[in-house]
Amino acid sequence: VFQGRILARRFVGQETRYEVEVKTPYRHRFPLVAREYLWVPNTCGCPPLWEGGEYLLMARRHVNYERTLNRILLQDDGYARPWTPREDRLVREAARHC
């Protein structure tokens, strides 16, 4: 779970790749750097992430069977909401309980 700002969007095959500036990592099981690529397995614009927008994102690390691909994946059932101070407060409160 992290707060990020969308810097760019690019369609690659049947997927969408977003370049994201990681602002605040809240909870992560793998290291995040200041800029990451976030992959969405479709090109329909779901979830709608706009360039320049800040979002609270719950994504997972995807490593393929051969371990040749390691990326951050926002699945269809993933969480992507526009970032607000309220979202920040809710995530910080949840982190204390989890």
Side-chain angles (χ1 to χ4, degrees):
V1 178
F2 64 96
Q3 173 195 357
R5 184 168 63 98
I6 306 299
L7 300 175
R9 176 178 66 179
R10 181 175 181 203
F11 299 112
V12 180
Q14 296 297 314
E15 297 180 307
T16 306
R17 183 185 77 184
Y18 293 96
E19 184 177 349
V20 179
E21 176 187 0
V22 177
K23 294 255 192 183
T24 308
Y26 293 103
R27 196 166 164 93
H28 54 281
R29 296 183 180 180
F30 51 91
L32 294 172
V33 294
R35 288 202 178 173
E36 292 280 0
Y37 286 124
L38 177 70
W39 292 85
V40 178
N42 62 55
T43 58
C44 69
C46 305
L49 301 176
W50 305 106
E51 290 182 38
E54 290 191 20
Y55 297 91
L56 183 65
L57 302 161
M58 185 184 324
R60 60 180 288 199
R61 184 173 144 202
H62 172 253
V63 179
N64 68 348
Y65 182 73
E66 295 86 16
R67 300 212 178 270
T68 58
L69 183 66
N70 183 354
R71 62 190 187 163
I72 299 174
L73 183 66
L74 181 62
Q75 295 178 308
D76 294 335
D77 60 347
Y79 187 86
R81 285 239 168 116
W83 184 88
T84 63
R86 179 181 180 273
E87 291 288 335
D88 179 63
R89 183 176 46 81
L90 291 173
V91 171
R92 288 185 191 277
E93 286 175 9
R96 285 193 301 231
H97 299 289
C98 298

